[in-house]
Each structure stands twice: as structure tokens, then as C-alpha cells.
């Protein structure tokens, strides 16, 4: 794959801009979902969507998206099988979790299954938290469909930047 210049992976980008503003996270995820839908239609199942496999190119218009065990959906461990759409949704959810939590708070499926993992940021909007929960179901059939993600209210709301105190 050709690597545009300048660019960095999403993990590097999120560390450099920690914490990422929710608007930026939403824009990156929206572009990622669009790319995943096309990828699934043309080539099938990616299976390894994670922050180090997503390239970001900074432009004057903002970041541009260019197309691991912790990211595996629970069905991989519970039934040893998974399908493209529900797995992609689970992995998108893991990325949103990490980007909104910042500061190296990695998503871990085992911690989530044990009930030891929660969204640690108080900065996330209600819509963002609802979006994460629509992707959470252990049962793949109960997760939001990849094609329905852009219709979620999180992608259709204006999120105010946090005010800075002096």
C-alpha cells in the first residue's frame, strides 16, 4: 500500500492530539465506516481494524482518513467464529472508545466481558455514549449494522467544543 506523505497511524495521531475532540473522532469514524462498507462490498472482511492500521493525513481541512486481539469481538472467543459486518462494528466501537478516552486507555475485550471496562471520559456527549452502546452487544445480531451507523444521532449532531477555564 502506498503511504501518503505526510501521514501517521491513528494511534500516533491520537497521542499527538490527546485528547482528541469528539468532533474529530466522529469525523474520522464516519470516514472509516464509509471505507469499511466499500471494503466489505469489494473485497470482503478486513478482520484487523485497529488504530495502528488506520492512516491519517493532516491537511488544511483537518485530518483525512486513508484507508489485534484486544479488538476481536466477543463471539470470536465465545464461539470461535465471526462475520464481517458485526466484527467491523465491534472494532469501530473499540476505536471510538480509545479515541474518546485518550491517554493510552486501550480497549480490551476481556476487561469488557468481565464488566471491568467503562468509558472513562466525562467529556463525551450522550450521543457518543449511546453510539458506543449500540455497538456493544455480545450477540452480533443485536449490534447496529455497519450500513446503519451513519444514521445514528451522533453523526447528525453538532458537538460543542469543551470550554477552557482561565
Amino acid at each position: 500500500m502506498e503511504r501518503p506523505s505526510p501521514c501517521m497511524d491513528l494511534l500516533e495521531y491520537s497521542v499527538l492530539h490527546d485528547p482528541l475532540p469528539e468532533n474529530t473522532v466522529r469525523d474520522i469514524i464516519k470516514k472509516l465506516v464509509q471505507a469499511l462498507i466499500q471494503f466489505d462490498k469489494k473485497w470482503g472482511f478486513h478482520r484487523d481494524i485497529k488504530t495502528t492500521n488506520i492512516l491519517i493525513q493532516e491537511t488544511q481541512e483537518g485530518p483525512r482518513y486513508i484507508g489485534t486481539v484486544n479488538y476481536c469481538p466477543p463471539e470470536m472467543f465465545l464461539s470461535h467464529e465471526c462475520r464481517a459486518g458485526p466484527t467491523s462494528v465491534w472494532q469501530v466501537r473499540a476505536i471510538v472508545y480509545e479515541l474518546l478516552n485518550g491517554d493510552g486507555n486501550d480497549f480490551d475485550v476481556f476487561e469488557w466481558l468481565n464488566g471491568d471496562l467503562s468509558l472513562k471520559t466525562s467529556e463525551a456527549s450522550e450521543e457518543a455514549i449511546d453510539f458506543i452502546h449500540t455497538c456493544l452487544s455480545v450477540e452480533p445480531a443485536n449490534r447496529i449494522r455497519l450500513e446503519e451507523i451513519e444514521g445514528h444521532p451522533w453523526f447528525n449532531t453538532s458537538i460543542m467544543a469543551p470550554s477552557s477555564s482561565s
Side-chain angles (χ1 to χ4, degrees):
M1 181 172 112
E2 200 173 303
R3 188 177 177 123
S5 179
C7 77
M8 62 187 79
D9 67 41
L10 185 53
L11 177 62
E12 294 171 297
Y13 183 81
S14 67
V15 169
L16 182 65
H17 299 284
D18 188 40
L20 280 175
E22 189 173 325
N23 280 331
T24 302
V25 173
R26 183 184 58 205
D27 291 343
I28 290 169
I29 296 303
K30 188 173 188 173
K31 291 171 187 166
L32 174 62
V33 167
Q34 291 167 348
L36 288 172
I37 290 169
Q38 291 304 312
F39 191 93
D40 285 352
K41 285 179 183 175
K42 291 182 181 181
W43 297 290
F45 186 11
H46 187 283
R47 291 183 63 130
D48 198 21
I49 303 163
K50 58 186 177 184
T51 54
T52 54
N53 284 348
I54 299 169
L55 297 179
I56 298 290
Q57 183 178 30
E58 288 198 86
T59 67
Q60 289 181 342
E61 294 81 33
R64 191 174 90 183
Y65 164 79
I66 307 159
T68 301
V69 170
N70 284 353
Y71 290 83
C72 286
E75 61 268 24
M76 190 66 162
F77 304 104
L78 301 173
S79 65
H80 302 289
E81 55 186 56
C82 55
R83 293 187 337 268
T87 297
S88 295
V89 167
W90 183 269
Q91 292 172 334
V92 164
R93 180 255 186 238
I95 291 168
V96 171
Y97 171 90
E98 288 184 357
L99 295 178
L100 289 177
N101 274 300
D103 196 28
N105 286 304
D106 295 337
F107 179 81
D108 186 308
V109 67
F110 298 111
E111 287 182 26
W112 182 83
L113 286 171
N114 289 328
D116 298 331
L117 194 67
S118 62
L119 193 62
K120 294 173 178 69
T121 181
S122 60
E123 302 293 323
S125 67
E126 289 179 29
E127 291 86 0
I129 292 176
D130 183 69
F131 172 74
I132 289 171
H133 288 288
T134 64
C135 304
L136 268 180
S137 177
V138 172
E139 180 56 45
N142 294 338
R143 287 182 209 139
I144 190 171
R145 293 182 59 236
L146 190 58
E147 297 80 10
E148 297 170 338
I149 285 178
E150 289 181 285
H152 188 277
W154 187 48
F155 291 99
N156 301 305
T157 53
S158 177
I159 300 164
M160 302 298 288
S163 60
S164 58
S165 55
S166 4

